[in-house]
Amino acid sequence: TRTPEFESQVYKEDIDGDLQAKVAEWRPLGGFLSAVGTASIVWSFIGRPEFGEFTERYNSFIDLLSIDRVGSSFIVDLAIFAIFQSWFVDDDLQRRGVSEEELMGLRNVAKFVPFFGLAAYITLRPELPSRNSEME
C-alpha cells in the first residue's frame, strides 16, 4: 500500500528506484509518445489498403463498435481520461512547485488537447526540484 502524502512538493529524491526516476523525468518521452500517436493516425488512413478505402474501413469500425462491448468501453475510457487529464496536469504542476498563475500556455495545451497536449507537457514541463539544490 501507498503511504499518504502530506507534502504538496515532490522532489527527485522521492522517486523510488533509479529506473523509475530516469523514466519519470526523461524529456524525449513526450516526443516518442507523439510519434507513436502520429504513426497510428497515419496508419489508420493509409495502412492495409487491401481492406478497402478509408471510408469503408471507418464504416466497418463503427459497425464493430456498435456490437462490441470491449471496443465501446475503450472509447468511453479514452473520453474519461481526456476529462481527468486536466486534473492530472494541475496536480503534477503543483507537486513541481509551480503556482496556478505560472505556465498558463503549457497548462492549457496539456489540459485541452487530448494526447498530444499531454505529450507536449511531458516534454516541456519543469523538472522536479532536488532537495540538494535547496540546501545550497
Side-chain angles (χ1 to χ4, degrees):
T1 58
R2 188 172 174 191
T3 58
E5 297 175 7
F6 298 105
E7 291 184 43
S8 62
Q9 184 86 28
V10 175
Y11 297 92
K12 288 180 183 179
E13 294 81 13
D14 295 336
I15 300 174
D16 295 330
D18 291 335
L19 180 61
Q20 291 87 338
K22 287 178 184 173
V23 171
E25 291 296 306
W26 190 51
R27 295 276 176 215
L29 181 61
F32 174 74
L33 294 174
S34 291
V36 169
T38 301
S40 298
I41 292 170
V42 169
W43 181 260
S44 73
F45 285 103
I46 64 171
R48 304 296 300 258
E50 64 269 18
F51 290 111
E53 295 294 319
F54 176 75
T55 54
E56 187 178 346
R57 287 182 284 141
Y58 177 76
N59 291 332
S60 175
F61 175 68
I62 296 301
D63 288 341
L64 179 66
L65 286 181
S66 68
I67 60 171
D68 184 27
R69 280 184 168 171
V70 175
S72 300
S73 65
F74 183 68
I75 299 297
V76 171
D77 289 346
L78 288 175
I80 290 171
F81 182 75
I83 292 167
F84 279 106
Q85 180 173 321
S86 63
W87 179 78
F88 295 141
V89 169
D90 284 336
D91 187 57
D92 185 62
L93 284 173
Q94 179 184 6
R95 291 171 191 269
R96 291 171 184 276
V98 176
S99 71
E100 288 189 28
E101 297 80 33
E102 294 179 276
L103 299 174
M104 288 306 292
L106 179 60
R107 184 184 303 260
N108 287 333
V109 167
K111 289 169 101 173
F112 302 118
V113 179
F115 188 76
F116 290 104
L118 193 57
Y121 172 76
I122 290 171
T123 300
L124 302 172
R125 67 185 175 180
E127 288 187 22
L128 283 171
S130 174
R131 284 195 171 92
N132 297 334
S133 65
E134 284 190 353
M135 292 179 188
E136 294 173 354

